[in-house]
Amino acid sequence: MSEQAIGISLLLGSFLGLLFIRIPIALALGLSSVLTAVYLGMPLMMIGQKMANSMFSFTFLAVPFFILMGNLMTEGGIADRLIRFADVLVGRVRGGLAQGNVVASALIGGISGSAVADVASIGSFMIPAMRQRGYTSEYAVAVTVTSAVQGILIPPSQNMIYYALAAGGLPLTSLFIAGYVPGILLGVALMGLCWWMAVRHNHPRGESYDLRSGLAVMAQASIGLFTMVIIIGGILAGIFTATESAAVALVYALFVTLFVYRSMNAQQVRRVISGTLKSLSVVSAIIMTSSAFGFLLSYLQVPAMLSDGILGISSNPIIILLLLNLLLLALGLIMDMGVLILIVTPILLPIATSIGVDPIHFGIIMMLNLGIGLCTPPVGLSLMVGCGIGRVSIERTIGTMIPFYLVMIAVLMLVTFVPSISLGLGNLLK
């Protein structure tokens, strides 16, 4: 075997082997990178520099701001207010509680930026409520888990920030704008499925509000929703960069939870900050070690080899896009989304751009593919959290989720082959 082949085998084999014995992902990435660098005779200082340089990014500063803002708003009671607001909007239709679940996921996703956080916050309230209204636990979990994927597409999405970093510094504003229409399209499609299921199974109508109480609920929710106005409005108006908007939105979220909603005290804020720092330490470690891992993949020419292999199968852009989707869906079944974005983007993005796919468009394709992976076994974290809240097994839930998977795949195909769904809003605003 050549040195290149041995290096690739050592890098990928040691990484997968470490994961198999349940070594944390960040440590597995780092150890496999060091082992491969030693074999190739590289100075370890070079690996250290690659890891350190991954942290020197103005775009990365948005990550801690957005995560802390989302945690504050979720812990501060914004989830309950947005759920009631969603119920005001669509609760009176048949299957209104399921419809409200989808709308609430879109609203909370526009604040938390995390599908798993959406499932945890919405699911803890909506899954028991849906059970009480006569829905099955499996159906309640399916609606909650799949609708939470909107949080990956609708800004501010933490995973879009990871993609911007891994793609070499794409404009975060363009990525954020590109996610709106696909995210709304996914929500509308899931609401259509919920309506069809409600008619078929005679699901109950939700709660109706009179004008006065409905306006009161909307006023309470609008205070929290103004966070989205700060983020997107500030960016589009040219007042803030994406990172600056995250910092301003964080200050606003802190003010709302402490002085408007008065749902948190100083001690609770300290607890949220402490938990956020723990999460950030894990995120930072993964970004640093995946940077070294990606550098070695590039050094060993793995992206070029994979590109030649895929392009050797067909030169038809439609076939290549289908193959990329299948690959991303398969990878989403077995690995965490954030890690995949950081590792796979430098490999697959050049293939996509070689057939004329815009990097922003490909980012949305990747987000939706890997978002579906969060809803699928064996490692779908959103699915695990939802089943844990609903106290139902994954095996029992999968059968109920099949129609939801089909709808999500249909939306994925539309987003893949109709680029204007992702790029049209950005082009219009330009």
Side-chain angles (χ1 to χ4, degrees), residues 382-430:
S382 292
L383 180 61
M384 292 180 184
V385 172
C387 288
I389 294 171
R391 298 180 183 178
V392 62
S393 68
I394 292 176
E395 293 78 10
R396 286 177 54 190
T397 307
I398 290 301
T400 306
M401 291 190 67
I402 289 175
F404 292 88
Y405 290 143
L406 294 176
V407 167
M408 295 172 81
I409 294 296
V411 173
L412 173 62
M413 292 298 100
L414 282 173
V415 170
T416 299
F417 295 110
V418 185
S420 59
I421 293 176
S422 301
L423 304 177
L425 181 60
N427 292 334
L428 181 65
L429 292 174
K430 287 179 182 178

mmCIF file of all heavy atoms in Angstrom, residues 382-430:
data_model
loop_
_atom_site.group_PDB
_atom_site.id
_atom_site.type_symbol
_atom_site.label_atom_id
_atom_site.label_comp_id
_atom_site.label_asym_id
_atom_site.label_seq_id
_atom_site.Cartn_x
_atom_site.Cartn_y
_atom_site.Cartn_z
ATOM 1 N N SER A 382 -32.693 14.460 18.090
ATOM 2 C CA SER A 382 -34.042 15.011 18.262
ATOM 3 C C SER A 382 -35.052 13.903 18.521
ATOM 4 O O SER A 382 -35.941 14.027 19.374
ATOM 5 C CB SER A 382 -34.454 15.814 17.030
ATOM 6 O OG SER A 382 -33.688 16.981 16.890
ATOM 7 N N LEU A 383 -34.935 12.809 17.772
ATOM 8 C CA LEU A 383 -35.840 11.679 17.949
ATOM 9 C C LEU A 383 -35.694 11.077 19.345
ATOM 10 O O LEU A 383 -36.692 10.744 19.998
ATOM 11 C CB LEU A 383 -35.562 10.620 16.881
ATOM 12 C CG LEU A 383 -36.419 9.358 16.919
ATOM 13 C CD1 LEU A 383 -37.894 9.698 16.738
ATOM 14 C CD2 LEU A 383 -35.966 8.374 15.843
ATOM 15 N N MET A 384 -34.461 10.957 19.817
ATOM 16 C CA MET A 384 -34.233 10.394 21.151
ATOM 17 C C MET A 384 -34.846 11.279 22.236
ATOM 18 O O MET A 384 -35.493 10.786 23.164
ATOM 19 C CB MET A 384 -32.727 10.231 21.402
ATOM 20 C CG MET A 384 -32.054 9.189 20.551
ATOM 21 S SD MET A 384 -30.281 9.075 20.940
ATOM 22 C CE MET A 384 -29.750 7.871 19.719
ATOM 23 N N VAL A 385 -34.634 12.590 22.103
ATOM 24 C CA VAL A 385 -35.182 13.516 23.100
ATOM 25 C C VAL A 385 -36.702 13.477 23.081
ATOM 26 O O VAL A 385 -37.364 13.421 24.133
ATOM 27 C CB VAL A 385 -34.674 14.950 22.843
ATOM 28 C CG1 VAL A 385 -35.393 15.949 23.744
ATOM 29 C CG2 VAL A 385 -33.165 15.025 23.075
ATOM 30 N N GLY A 386 -37.298 13.487 21.878
ATOM 31 C CA GLY A 386 -38.748 13.457 21.762
ATOM 32 C C GLY A 386 -39.344 12.181 22.345
ATOM 33 O O GLY A 386 -40.353 12.232 23.072
ATOM 34 N N CYS A 387 -38.736 11.041 22.045
ATOM 35 C CA CYS A 387 -39.230 9.772 22.578
ATOM 36 C C CYS A 387 -39.060 9.715 24.091
ATOM 37 O O CYS A 387 -39.898 9.138 24.801
ATOM 38 C CB CYS A 387 -38.506 8.602 21.923
ATOM 39 S SG CYS A 387 -38.972 8.329 20.194
ATOM 40 N N GLY A 388 -37.975 10.318 24.592
ATOM 41 C CA GLY A 388 -37.792 10.359 26.041
ATOM 42 C C GLY A 388 -38.870 11.169 26.733
ATOM 43 O O GLY A 388 -39.401 10.769 27.774
ATOM 44 N N ILE A 389 -39.220 12.310 26.146
ATOM 45 C CA ILE A 389 -40.276 13.154 26.727
ATOM 46 C C ILE A 389 -41.635 12.456 26.625
ATOM 47 O O ILE A 389 -42.437 12.475 27.558
ATOM 48 C CB ILE A 389 -40.325 14.520 26.026
ATOM 49 C CG1 ILE A 389 -39.037 15.305 26.301
ATOM 50 C CG2 ILE A 389 -41.537 15.336 26.492
ATOM 51 C CD1 ILE A 389 -38.902 16.569 25.487
ATOM 52 N N GLY A 390 -41.879 11.819 25.467
ATOM 53 C CA GLY A 390 -43.163 11.156 25.253
ATOM 54 C C GLY A 390 -43.272 9.797 25.910
ATOM 55 O O GLY A 390 -44.347 9.183 25.882
ATOM 56 N N ARG A 391 -42.147 9.322 26.468
ATOM 57 C CA ARG A 391 -42.117 8.007 27.132
ATOM 58 C C ARG A 391 -42.625 6.904 26.211
ATOM 59 O O ARG A 391 -43.480 6.096 26.563
ATOM 60 C CB ARG A 391 -42.932 8.038 28.428
ATOM 61 C CG ARG A 391 -42.387 9.015 29.458
ATOM 62 C CD ARG A 391 -43.224 9.021 30.714
ATOM 63 N NE ARG A 391 -42.715 10.013 31.662
ATOM 64 C CZ ARG A 391 -43.275 10.267 32.847
ATOM 65 N NH1 ARG A 391 -44.348 9.595 33.224
ATOM 66 N NH2 ARG A 391 -42.756 11.173 33.638
ATOM 67 N N VAL A 392 -42.081 6.918 25.008
ATOM 68 C CA VAL A 392 -42.453 5.918 24.014
ATOM 69 C C VAL A 392 -41.171 5.459 23.326
ATOM 70 O O VAL A 392 -40.215 6.220 23.190
ATOM 71 C CB VAL A 392 -43.459 6.522 23.003
ATOM 72 C CG1 VAL A 392 -42.840 7.688 22.242
ATOM 73 C CG2 VAL A 392 -43.981 5.476 22.048
ATOM 74 N N SER A 393 -41.126 4.206 22.904
ATOM 75 C CA SER A 393 -39.915 3.668 22.290
ATOM 76 C C SER A 393 -39.740 4.198 20.876
ATOM 77 O O SER A 393 -40.719 4.533 20.188
ATOM 78 C CB SER A 393 -39.965 2.135 22.268
ATOM 79 O OG SER A 393 -40.965 1.688 21.376
ATOM 80 N N ILE A 394 -38.490 4.255 20.435
ATOM 81 C CA ILE A 394 -38.193 4.677 19.066
ATOM 82 C C ILE A 394 -38.828 3.710 18.071
ATOM 83 O O ILE A 394 -39.360 4.121 17.033
ATOM 84 C CB ILE A 394 -36.670 4.773 18.858
ATOM 85 C CG1 ILE A 394 -36.096 5.925 19.689
ATOM 86 C CG2 ILE A 394 -36.327 4.967 17.383
ATOM 87 C CD1 ILE A 394 -34.592 6.044 19.627
ATOM 88 N N GLU A 395 -38.788 2.415 18.378
ATOM 89 C CA GLU A 395 -39.337 1.414 17.465
ATOM 90 C C GLU A 395 -40.826 1.647 17.211
ATOM 91 O O GLU A 395 -41.290 1.524 16.073
ATOM 92 C CB GLU A 395 -39.122 0.005 18.047
ATOM 93 C CG GLU A 395 -37.667 -0.445 18.119
ATOM 94 C CD GLU A 395 -36.920 0.164 19.301
ATOM 95 O OE1 GLU A 395 -37.579 0.783 20.177
ATOM 96 O OE2 GLU A 395 -35.690 0.029 19.353
ATOM 97 N N ARG A 396 -41.563 1.992 18.242
ATOM 98 C CA ARG A 396 -43.007 2.236 18.084
ATOM 99 C C ARG A 396 -43.280 3.537 17.331
ATOM 100 O O ARG A 396 -44.296 3.667 16.638
ATOM 101 C CB ARG A 396 -43.683 2.290 19.456
ATOM 102 C CG ARG A 396 -43.844 0.943 20.137
ATOM 103 C CD ARG A 396 -44.445 1.102 21.517
ATOM 104 N NE ARG A 396 -45.699 1.862 21.495
ATOM 105 C CZ ARG A 396 -46.321 2.297 22.587
ATOM 106 N NH1 ARG A 396 -45.784 2.086 23.781
ATOM 107 N NH2 ARG A 396 -47.453 2.971 22.481
ATOM 108 N N THR A 397 -42.365 4.497 17.455
ATOM 109 C CA THR A 397 -42.591 5.816 16.851
ATOM 110 C C THR A 397 -42.293 5.828 15.362
ATOM 111 O O THR A 397 -42.917 6.588 14.604
ATOM 112 C CB THR A 397 -41.718 6.868 17.565
ATOM 113 O OG1 THR A 397 -41.959 6.802 18.966
ATOM 114 C CG2 THR A 397 -42.031 8.270 17.079
ATOM 115 N N ILE A 398 -41.350 4.996 14.917
ATOM 116 C CA ILE A 398 -40.897 5.044 13.529
ATOM 117 C C ILE A 398 -42.040 4.843 12.546
ATOM 118 O O ILE A 398 -42.148 5.536 11.528
ATOM 119 C CB ILE A 398 -39.784 3.991 13.292
ATOM 120 C CG1 ILE A 398 -38.518 4.400 14.022
ATOM 121 C CG2 ILE A 398 -39.485 3.851 11.804
ATOM 122 C CD1 ILE A 398 -37.972 5.749 13.614
ATOM 123 N N GLY A 399 -42.942 3.883 12.826
ATOM 124 C CA GLY A 399 -44.050 3.632 11.912
ATOM 125 C C GLY A 399 -44.922 4.862 11.717
ATOM 126 O O GLY A 399 -45.347 5.171 10.595
ATOM 127 N N THR A 400 -45.172 5.595 12.804
ATOM 128 C CA THR A 400 -45.984 6.816 12.724
ATOM 129 C C THR A 400 -45.262 7.912 11.950
ATOM 130 O O THR A 400 -45.903 8.772 11.320
ATOM 131 C CB THR A 400 -46.318 7.310 14.140
ATOM 132 O OG1 THR A 400 -46.936 6.248 14.872
ATOM 133 C CG2 THR A 400 -47.254 8.501 14.103
ATOM 134 N N MET A 401 -43.943 7.897 11.973
ATOM 135 C CA MET A 401 -43.170 8.976 11.351
ATOM 136 C C MET A 401 -42.994 8.817 9.851
ATOM 137 O O MET A 401 -42.544 9.748 9.179
ATOM 138 C CB MET A 401 -41.795 9.075 12.026
ATOM 139 C CG MET A 401 -41.873 9.579 13.456
ATOM 140 S SD MET A 401 -40.267 9.985 14.161
ATOM 141 C CE MET A 401 -39.778 11.396 13.178
ATOM 142 N N ILE A 402 -43.342 7.664 9.298
ATOM 143 C CA ILE A 402 -43.099 7.425 7.869
ATOM 144 C C ILE A 402 -43.735 8.504 6.985
ATOM 145 O O ILE A 402 -43.069 9.047 6.084
ATOM 146 C CB ILE A 402 -43.574 6.012 7.471
ATOM 147 C CG1 ILE A 402 -42.630 4.969 8.072
ATOM 148 C CG2 ILE A 402 -43.616 5.863 5.946
ATOM 149 C CD1 ILE A 402 -43.059 3.536 7.856
ATOM 150 N N PRO A 403 -45.024 8.880 7.182
ATOM 151 C CA PRO A 403 -45.570 9.969 6.341
ATOM 152 C C PRO A 403 -44.804 11.277 6.498
ATOM 153 O O PRO A 403 -44.657 12.036 5.526
ATOM 154 C CB PRO A 403 -47.018 10.108 6.850
ATOM 155 C CG PRO A 403 -47.333 8.820 7.519
ATOM 156 C CD PRO A 403 -46.045 8.347 8.109
ATOM 157 N N PHE A 404 -44.307 11.548 7.698
ATOM 158 C CA PHE A 404 -43.544 12.780 7.932
ATOM 159 C C PHE A 404 -42.204 12.714 7.198
ATOM 160 O O PHE A 404 -41.757 13.727 6.629
ATOM 161 C CB PHE A 404 -43.332 12.984 9.432
ATOM 162 C CG PHE A 404 -44.589 13.291 10.191
ATOM 163 C CD1 PHE A 404 -45.382 12.272 10.690
ATOM 164 C CD2 PHE A 404 -44.996 14.601 10.387
ATOM 165 C CE1 PHE A 404 -46.546 12.550 11.384
ATOM 166 C CE2 PHE A 404 -46.160 14.898 11.083
ATOM 167 C CZ PHE A 404 -46.942 13.865 11.573
ATOM 168 N N TYR A 405 -41.563 11.547 7.202
ATOM 169 C CA TYR A 405 -40.321 11.390 6.439
ATOM 170 C C TYR A 405 -40.571 11.653 4.953
ATOM 171 O O TYR A 405 -39.768 12.323 4.285
ATOM 172 C CB TYR A 405 -39.760 9.975 6.603
ATOM 173 C CG TYR A 405 -39.196 9.658 7.967
ATOM 174 C CD1 TYR A 405 -39.348 8.393 8.529
ATOM 175 C CD2 TYR A 405 -38.476 10.612 8.689
ATOM 176 C CE1 TYR A 405 -38.820 8.089 9.772
ATOM 177 C CE2 TYR A 405 -37.949 10.316 9.938
ATOM 178 C CZ TYR A 405 -38.126 9.046 10.474
ATOM 179 O OH TYR A 405 -37.603 8.747 11.704
ATOM 180 N N LEU A 406 -41.662 11.123 4.419
ATOM 181 C CA LEU A 406 -41.957 11.286 2.991
ATOM 182 C C LEU A 406 -42.167 12.756 2.640
ATOM 183 O O LEU A 406 -41.688 13.235 1.603
ATOM 184 C CB LEU A 406 -43.193 10.469 2.618
ATOM 185 C CG LEU A 406 -43.052 8.943 2.721
ATOM 186 C CD1 LEU A 406 -44.375 8.256 2.410
ATOM 187 C CD2 LEU A 406 -41.956 8.436 1.791
ATOM 188 N N VAL A 407 -42.865 13.488 3.510
ATOM 189 C CA VAL A 407 -43.077 14.920 3.272
ATOM 190 C C VAL A 407 -41.743 15.667 3.314
ATOM 191 O O VAL A 407 -41.470 16.541 2.469
ATOM 192 C CB VAL A 407 -44.055 15.493 4.314
ATOM 193 C CG1 VAL A 407 -44.044 17.027 4.290
ATOM 194 C CG2 VAL A 407 -45.461 14.988 4.046
ATOM 195 N N MET A 408 -40.892 15.338 4.270
ATOM 196 C CA MET A 408 -39.592 16.014 4.377
ATOM 197 C C MET A 408 -38.712 15.712 3.167
ATOM 198 O O MET A 408 -38.002 16.602 2.667
ATOM 199 C CB MET A 408 -38.899 15.586 5.674
ATOM 200 C CG MET A 408 -39.633 16.030 6.932
ATOM 201 S SD MET A 408 -38.932 15.333 8.437
ATOM 202 C CE MET A 408 -37.557 16.446 8.694
ATOM 203 N N ILE A 409 -38.742 14.480 2.673
ATOM 204 C CA ILE A 409 -37.969 14.135 1.481
ATOM 205 C C ILE A 409 -38.498 14.893 0.269
ATOM 206 O O ILE A 409 -37.721 15.371 -0.574
ATOM 207 C CB ILE A 409 -38.023 12.614 1.225
ATOM 208 C CG1 ILE A 409 -37.308 11.846 2.353
ATOM 209 C CG2 ILE A 409 -37.384 12.273 -0.118
ATOM 210 C CD1 ILE A 409 -35.835 12.111 2.464
ATOM 211 N N ALA A 410 -39.824 15.033 0.179
ATOM 212 C CA ALA A 410 -40.405 15.783 -0.937
ATOM 213 C C ALA A 410 -39.947 17.244 -0.908
ATOM 214 O O ALA A 410 -39.594 17.825 -1.950
ATOM 215 C CB ALA A 410 -41.938 15.697 -0.877
ATOM 216 N N VAL A 411 -39.934 17.848 0.280
ATOM 217 C CA VAL A 411 -39.456 19.227 0.406
ATOM 218 C C VAL A 411 -37.972 19.298 0.059
ATOM 219 O O VAL A 411 -37.520 20.242 -0.608
ATOM 220 C CB VAL A 411 -39.709 19.754 1.835
ATOM 221 C CG1 VAL A 411 -39.052 21.128 2.032
ATOM 222 C CG2 VAL A 411 -41.207 19.849 2.110
ATOM 223 N N LEU A 412 -37.206 18.295 0.479
ATOM 224 C CA LEU A 412 -35.777 18.252 0.158
ATOM 225 C C LEU A 412 -35.556 18.236 -1.351
ATOM 226 O O LEU A 412 -34.676 18.941 -1.869
ATOM 227 C CB LEU A 412 -35.140 17.025 0.804
ATOM 228 C CG LEU A 412 -33.680 16.733 0.430
ATOM 229 C CD1 LEU A 412 -32.767 17.884 0.863
ATOM 230 C CD2 LEU A 412 -33.220 15.417 1.054
ATOM 231 N N MET A 413 -36.331 17.451 -2.071
ATOM 232 C CA MET A 413 -36.188 17.387 -3.527
ATOM 233 C C MET A 413 -36.523 18.738 -4.171
ATOM 234 O O MET A 413 -35.853 19.183 -5.101
ATOM 235 C CB MET A 413 -37.082 16.293 -4.098
ATOM 236 C CG MET A 413 -36.662 14.869 -3.735
ATOM 237 S SD MET A 413 -35.016 14.417 -4.365
ATOM 238 C CE MET A 413 -33.991 14.652 -2.889
ATOM 239 N N LEU A 414 -37.561 19.400 -3.669
ATOM 240 C CA LEU A 414 -37.907 20.726 -4.189
ATOM 241 C C LEU A 414 -36.780 21.719 -3.942
ATOM 242 O O LEU A 414 -36.393 22.479 -4.846
ATOM 243 C CB LEU A 414 -39.194 21.228 -3.534
ATOM 244 C CG LEU A 414 -40.512 20.643 -4.049
ATOM 245 C CD1 LEU A 414 -41.673 21.113 -3.176
ATOM 246 C CD2 LEU A 414 -40.753 21.058 -5.501
ATOM 247 N N VAL A 415 -36.244 21.722 -2.725
ATOM 248 C CA VAL A 415 -35.160 22.644 -2.386
ATOM 249 C C VAL A 415 -33.922 22.350 -3.220
ATOM 250 O O VAL A 415 -33.213 23.261 -3.667
ATOM 251 C CB VAL A 415 -34.838 22.550 -0.880
ATOM 252 C CG1 VAL A 415 -33.552 23.306 -0.548
ATOM 253 C CG2 VAL A 415 -35.998 23.104 -0.054
ATOM 254 N N THR A 416 -33.659 21.057 -3.481
ATOM 255 C CA THR A 416 -32.470 20.669 -4.241
ATOM 256 C C THR A 416 -32.551 21.114 -5.695
ATOM 257 O O THR A 416 -31.594 21.675 -6.241
ATOM 258 C CB THR A 416 -32.271 19.142 -4.170
ATOM 259 O OG1 THR A 416 -32.089 18.746 -2.805
ATOM 260 C CG2 THR A 416 -31.059 18.716 -4.987
ATOM 261 N N PHE A 417 -33.693 20.865 -6.317
ATOM 262 C CA PHE A 417 -33.780 21.058 -7.772
ATOM 263 C C PHE A 417 -34.465 22.350 -8.184
ATOM 264 O O PHE A 417 -34.591 22.627 -9.385
ATOM 265 C CB PHE A 417 -34.487 19.849 -8.395
ATOM 266 C CG PHE A 417 -33.699 18.572 -8.245
ATOM 267 C CD1 PHE A 417 -34.129 17.562 -7.401
ATOM 268 C CD2 PHE A 417 -32.503 18.402 -8.921
ATOM 269 C CE1 PHE A 417 -33.399 16.392 -7.245
ATOM 270 C CE2 PHE A 417 -31.758 17.243 -8.777
ATOM 271 C CZ PHE A 417 -32.195 16.229 -7.934
ATOM 272 N N VAL A 418 -34.918 23.147 -7.215
ATOM 273 C CA VAL A 418 -35.450 24.480 -7.525
ATOM 274 C C VAL A 418 -34.635 25.491 -6.721
ATOM 275 O O VAL A 418 -35.028 25.891 -5.617
ATOM 276 C CB VAL A 418 -36.954 24.578 -7.185
ATOM 277 C CG1 VAL A 418 -37.514 25.923 -7.637
ATOM 278 C CG2 VAL A 418 -37.742 23.437 -7.804
ATOM 279 N N PRO A 419 -33.474 25.910 -7.223
ATOM 280 C CA PRO A 419 -32.582 26.783 -6.459
ATOM 281 C C PRO A 419 -33.226 28.092 -6.007
ATOM 282 O O PRO A 419 -32.842 28.647 -4.975
ATOM 283 C CB PRO A 419 -31.426 27.055 -7.440
ATOM 284 C CG PRO A 419 -31.475 25.924 -8.412
ATOM 285 C CD PRO A 419 -32.914 25.551 -8.535
ATOM 286 N N SER A 420 -34.211 28.580 -6.750
ATOM 287 C CA SER A 420 -34.827 29.864 -6.398
ATOM 288 C C SER A 420 -35.541 29.802 -5.052
ATOM 289 O O SER A 420 -35.768 30.842 -4.429
ATOM 290 C CB SER A 420 -35.803 30.297 -7.489
ATOM 291 O OG SER A 420 -36.826 29.328 -7.671
ATOM 292 N N ILE A 421 -35.900 28.608 -4.580
ATOM 293 C CA ILE A 421 -36.518 28.497 -3.261
ATOM 294 C C ILE A 421 -35.550 28.992 -2.191
ATOM 295 O O ILE A 421 -35.942 29.656 -1.229
ATOM 296 C CB ILE A 421 -36.944 27.037 -2.978
ATOM 297 C CG1 ILE A 421 -38.065 26.632 -3.923
ATOM 298 C CG2 ILE A 421 -37.369 26.860 -1.517
ATOM 299 C CD1 ILE A 421 -38.486 25.173 -3.788
ATOM 300 N N SER A 422 -34.270 28.677 -2.364
ATOM 301 C CA SER A 422 -33.254 29.110 -1.407
ATOM 302 C C SER A 422 -32.685 30.484 -1.744
ATOM 303 O O SER A 422 -32.412 31.283 -0.844
ATOM 304 C CB SER A 422 -32.106 28.093 -1.364
ATOM 305 O OG SER A 422 -32.556 26.816 -0.991
ATOM 306 N N LEU A 423 -32.496 30.761 -3.020
ATOM 307 C CA LEU A 423 -31.761 31.960 -3.425
ATOM 308 C C LEU A 423 -32.663 33.119 -3.836
ATOM 309 O O LEU A 423 -32.191 34.253 -3.930
ATOM 310 C CB LEU A 423 -30.825 31.620 -4.589
ATOM 311 C CG LEU A 423 -29.821 30.474 -4.341
ATOM 312 C CD1 LEU A 423 -29.016 30.198 -5.614
ATOM 313 C CD2 LEU A 423 -28.898 30.806 -3.189
ATOM 314 N N GLY A 424 -33.942 32.842 -4.076
ATOM 315 C CA GLY A 424 -34.821 33.873 -4.617
ATOM 316 C C GLY A 424 -34.984 35.072 -3.696
ATOM 317 O O GLY A 424 -34.924 36.224 -4.145
ATOM 318 N N LEU A 425 -35.183 34.834 -2.393
ATOM 319 C CA LEU A 425 -35.382 35.942 -1.458
ATOM 320 C C LEU A 425 -34.144 36.819 -1.379
ATOM 321 O O LEU A 425 -34.235 38.048 -1.392
ATOM 322 C CB LEU A 425 -35.756 35.401 -0.086
ATOM 323 C CG LEU A 425 -36.013 36.459 0.996
ATOM 324 C CD1 LEU A 425 -37.161 37.383 0.593
ATOM 325 C CD2 LEU A 425 -36.315 35.787 2.351
ATOM 326 N N GLY A 426 -32.968 36.190 -1.307
ATOM 327 C CA GLY A 426 -31.729 36.966 -1.272
ATOM 328 C C GLY A 426 -31.529 37.801 -2.517
ATOM 329 O O GLY A 426 -31.133 38.968 -2.446
ATOM 330 N N ASN A 427 -31.834 37.221 -3.689
ATOM 331 C CA ASN A 427 -31.703 37.968 -4.941
ATOM 332 C C ASN A 427 -32.691 39.125 -4.997
ATOM 333 O O ASN A 427 -32.375 40.207 -5.494
ATOM 334 C CB ASN A 427 -31.929 37.035 -6.131
ATOM 335 C CG ASN A 427 -30.812 36.004 -6.269
ATOM 336 O OD1 ASN A 427 -29.681 36.240 -5.838
ATOM 337 N ND2 ASN A 427 -31.118 34.866 -6.852
ATOM 338 N N LEU A 428 -33.895 38.895 -4.471
ATOM 339 C CA LEU A 428 -34.898 39.942 -4.464
ATOM 340 C C LEU A 428 -34.479 41.113 -3.569
ATOM 341 O O LEU A 428 -34.614 42.285 -3.948
ATOM 342 C CB LEU A 428 -36.241 39.372 -3.968
ATOM 343 C CG LEU A 428 -37.414 40.336 -3.910
ATOM 344 C CD1 LEU A 428 -37.780 40.815 -5.316
ATOM 345 C CD2 LEU A 428 -38.631 39.666 -3.266
ATOM 346 N N LEU A 429 -33.934 40.790 -2.403
ATOM 347 C CA LEU A 429 -33.505 41.835 -1.482
ATOM 348 C C LEU A 429 -32.303 42.604 -2.029
ATOM 349 O O LEU A 429 -32.139 43.798 -1.751
ATOM 350 C CB LEU A 429 -33.161 41.224 -0.119
ATOM 351 C CG LEU A 429 -34.353 40.663 0.660
ATOM 352 C CD1 LEU A 429 -33.885 39.949 1.906
ATOM 353 C CD2 LEU A 429 -35.313 41.796 1.037
ATOM 354 N N LYS A 430 -31.470 41.932 -2.801
ATOM 355 C CA LYS A 430 -30.328 42.629 -3.396
ATOM 356 C C LYS A 430 -30.776 43.661 -4.420
ATOM 357 O O LYS A 430 -30.118 44.660 -4.652
ATOM 358 C CB LYS A 430 -29.381 41.614 -4.061
ATOM 359 C CG LYS A 430 -28.589 40.796 -3.070
ATOM 360 C CD LYS A 430 -27.701 39.799 -3.804
ATOM 361 C CE LYS A 430 -26.922 38.922 -2.817
ATOM 362 N NZ LYS A 430 -26.096 37.920 -3.492
#
